[in-house]
Amino acid sequence: MNIVKKLIEDTYPKVVAWRRDFHMYPEISGAEERTAEKIAEILGQLPIEVQHNVGGHGVVGVLRGSKPGKTIALRADIDALPIQEQNDFDFASRYKGKMHACGHDGHTAILLGAAVILSSLKDEIAGNIKFIFQPAEEQAPIGGAKPMIEDGVLENPHVDAILGLHIWPALPKGKVGIKNNALMASSDPFIIEVFGKNGHASSPHEAIDALVASCQIVNMLQTIVSRSINPQEAAVVTIGKMQSGTKYNVVADYAKLEGTVRTLDPKTQLMVEKRVREIVNGVCQATGTIAEINYSHGYPALINDKNMANLIREVGRKILPQEAMIEIDKPAMGGEDFANYLQRIPGAFFWLGSGQEDSYPIHHPKFDFDENIMKTGIEMLIHSAFQYLEKGTDHE
Ligand code: NI
């Protein structure tokens, strides 16, 4: 046990340096070239087989233990966001309009740290550990997990289980959060285009007003959650963008709405979609407009495997300070494409608390975290990997 702690202390300065380097040079979804290169370079110095360009800019490392056994994957997302950073520390983003505002720089550094340490413990590993550095997590609805899976990341060697984490400012610093079943929501983006007929503002009767129709649609969509969904079920319908009109004295012939739906249950997910379509078509019929609906199924809900969540709990209780292991009672309504792996193999996703009094939420231009929590992240991943390979999940 203590040897891992010591190895983490020894590796920590490097982990911090990597995190800061990734933070200084953030690359947004689909453009993670430098990031991927740096990851591959670090993995390349270890007794790890490195694969490049897996499902885009994905990098995969396979560490084969000295003894045979199962394969567990540890995954980090590596992409940044199109946000102008407002932090002024010396490792703030060097790229205008791009920022690691979701902690993926930390996730990447944590996983690299885990890779270095696990490599040095190779002789004690029975089985394989696959390190998945995944791009494009922020690029819903396609994301980066799906292309990596399609490119075979869960095979050769076949992955039996997977673990991932997210730095989480809504959870106090020093805590680790886990939950059975749904931890994060499905996220389905949609675009609704409404077509009417132009006319002079003074003769509305000769036109078909797409702007008024789209306002009705926005209002009516609010009734889905309040009137059509069982109050015991969670759902969000948000229209975040609305565009219409060209001039104050012209009746608008076109409107465009963009929104997202978040749910935790596949049945609710389908129900919301059905109601969105019915409402849009109904309002169009009533207003003489025509609509086109482009509704995509984005990331599925992130459903943790009970046994794998138990493994995280057990490891957390063993290695963390007392009461640091927290049971999350309510899932987050944000999406996370780690969900795609969990649709295929058992696994668990946990939150690494980073919340302090002055902390900002993820995706905020001032988001940051205390780098010390990376040690906890590394420790959790290492012990969980060992525990899984030694005992599987059958260890009540
Ligand atoms: Ni994120």
Side-chain angles (χ1 to χ4, degrees), residues 85-355:
E85 177 152 22
Q86 285 175 18
N87 288 316
D88 49 13
F89 41 63
D90 60 359
F91 58 93
S93 174
R94 301 293 194 263
Y95 296 156
K96 205 173 164 224
K98 293 176 199 171
M99 178 194 174
H100 268 292
C102 199
H104 300 188
D105 49 344
H107 306 165
T108 308
I110 287 170
L111 192 55
L112 285 170
V116 167
I117 295 166
L118 285 163
S119 296
S120 72
L121 300 170
K122 196 173 180 278
D123 290 342
E124 278 148 63
I125 297 172
N128 311 307
I129 300 173
K130 198 178 265 195
F131 302 92
I132 301 179
F133 293 88
Q134 182 213 298
E137 193 283 321
E138 303 283 1
Q139 203 169 46
I142 296 164
K146 223 173 161 190
M148 285 193 90
I149 293 167
E150 280 160 10
D151 215 356
V153 75
L154 297 181
E155 300 304 327
N156 298 318
H158 173 76
V159 176
D160 297 293
I162 187 163
L163 296 172
L165 62 81
H166 204 296
I167 292 173
W168 208 250
L171 186 70
K173 189 179 102 179
K175 309 280 185 193
V176 169
I178 188 69
K179 185 182 177 303
N180 285 350
N181 282 316
L183 180 70
M184 301 186 70
S186 66
S187 83
D188 294 343
F190 63 82
I191 298 171
I192 299 164
E193 289 180 290
V194 182
F195 301 90
K197 196 173 123 196
N198 270 139
H200 196 281
S202 62
S203 305
H205 58 294
E206 287 167 8
I208 297 174
D209 196 331
L211 187 152
V212 168
S214 68
C215 291
Q216 303 299 331
I217 290 173
V218 173
N219 278 332
M220 282 291 289
L221 289 176
Q222 309 309 311
T223 66
I224 297 178
V225 175
S226 68
R227 303 289 85 187
S228 302
I229 301 298
N230 180 336
Q232 312 277 348
E233 294 289 335
V236 177
V237 178
T238 291
I239 308 289
K241 191 171 171 187
M242 179 174 185
Q243 282 172 305
S244 185
T246 50
K247 200 162 186 281
Y248 79 97
N249 60 357
V250 177
V251 174
D253 68 339
Y254 176 77
K256 187 178 181 187
L257 306 172
E258 292 180 45
T260 180
V261 170
R262 308 296 168 101
T263 52
L264 297 171
D265 179 274
K267 273 192 237 121
T268 312
Q269 186 182 14
L270 291 178
M271 173 61 154
V272 174
E273 179 180 355
K274 181 172 160 273
R275 289 298 294 139
V276 168
R277 292 184 186 281
E278 285 169 356
I279 285 169
V280 172
N281 292 332
V283 171
C284 285
Q285 205 181 13
T287 56
T289 51
I290 294 169
E292 251 173 50
I293 308 170
N294 189 334
Y295 198 105
S296 353
H297 287 226
Y299 302 162
L302 188 153
I303 311 289
N304 273 338
D305 176 81
K306 196 174 113 241
N307 293 326
M308 292 302 287
N310 270 339
L311 182 143
I312 296 292
R313 276 183 195 102
E314 208 171 292
V315 168
R317 284 191 203 116
K318 205 157 43 179
I319 65 165
L320 300 176
Q322 233 185 348
E323 285 162 26
M325 194 71 223
I326 296 283
E327 205 55 42
I328 303 294
D329 60 342
K330 290 196 178 60
M333 297 310 281
E336 161 63 65
D337 76 350
F338 189 81
N340 285 115
Y341 304 107
L342 296 182
Q343 284 195 323
R344 283 159 183 87
I345 52 170
F349 195 69
F350 60 94
W351 289 339
L352 185 58
S354 70

